[in-house]
Amino acid sequence: MGRFFGRGEQQPQETAGQFEGSLRAVEGILAAIGVDASAARMEVESGFGWQFQRGSALIEVYLTPKEQGYLQVLSPIMHLPQRDLLALYRRLLELNLQLTNAALGVHEDVVYVFHERLLAGLDAAEADAIIRRLAQYADELDDALAQEFGGRMYGRG
């Protein structure tokens, strides 16, 4: 799948330590939620990426060293349905107001729930909350939105 938000220049040297700390924190978080970080690792252009299943949802976590460094957690939850797109888009906007530290969006005809944050000031507890919350949202929303709008859940092909 891969990241869909590109970033610019390489990080300055002073944030390299933050990046390494974030890498250790993410791998520790994945282990704590029962994910083998080395088995979940994906090849990415820059930085690190992991992919795992949570219920019916596929969860992707990325650490990128570009610019100031970013944590990005996202989940492709459903393919756009053939009809009722206006109603779906309205529902996604309504849901955006109910989500905490996450948003819904569409990229290449797939609905995503995602979160993106600079690494600066990010601690392990916050990263843990972000990953767990997004995984919970994805697992709940993929079923609910597919049922409501007849779309095909991403995790089911």
Side-chain angles (χ1 to χ4, degrees), residues 17-33:
Q18 174 70 38
F19 186 76
E20 290 301 319
S22 297
L23 172 61
R24 287 189 302 277
V26 168
E27 290 194 332
I29 291 161
L30 294 177
I33 61 174

Side-chain angles (χ1 to χ4, degrees), residues 56-118:
S56 55
L58 177 68
I59 311 301
E60 298 176 5
V61 178
Y62 298 95
L63 281 177
T64 180
K66 294 184 177 184
E67 291 181 3
Q68 300 96 342
Y70 286 85
L71 167 69
Q72 185 180 69
V73 185
L74 59 94
S75 177
I77 57 176
M78 71 178 275
H79 298 274
L80 287 178
Q82 296 296 313
R83 60 186 209 287
D84 297 328
L85 286 178
L86 185 59
L88 172 63
Y89 293 151
R90 180 183 178 105
R91 182 74 174 120
L92 295 178
L93 287 171
E94 291 168 348
L95 287 167
N96 272 335
L97 287 175
Q98 299 172 27
L99 301 178
T100 302
N101 286 329
L104 291 157
V106 175
H107 179 72
E108 296 183 358
D109 293 334
V110 175
V111 176
Y112 284 81
V113 60
F114 66 95
H115 176 91
E116 183 175 56
R117 187 200 186 288
L118 286 170

Side-chain angles (χ1 to χ4, degrees), residues 30 33 35 40 50-54 57-61 131 135:
L30 294 177
I33 61 174
V35 174
W50 301 265
Q51 181 175 307
F52 62 94
Q53 200 75 26
R54 193 49 84 228
L58 177 68
I59 311 301
E60 298 176 5
V61 178
I131 292 169

Side-chain angles (χ1 to χ4, degrees), residues 27-47:
E27 290 194 332
I29 291 161
L30 294 177
I33 61 174
V35 174
D36 178 350
S38 58
R41 178 119 3 123
M42 301 184 298
E43 284 200 30
V44 294
E45 255 182 62
S46 176

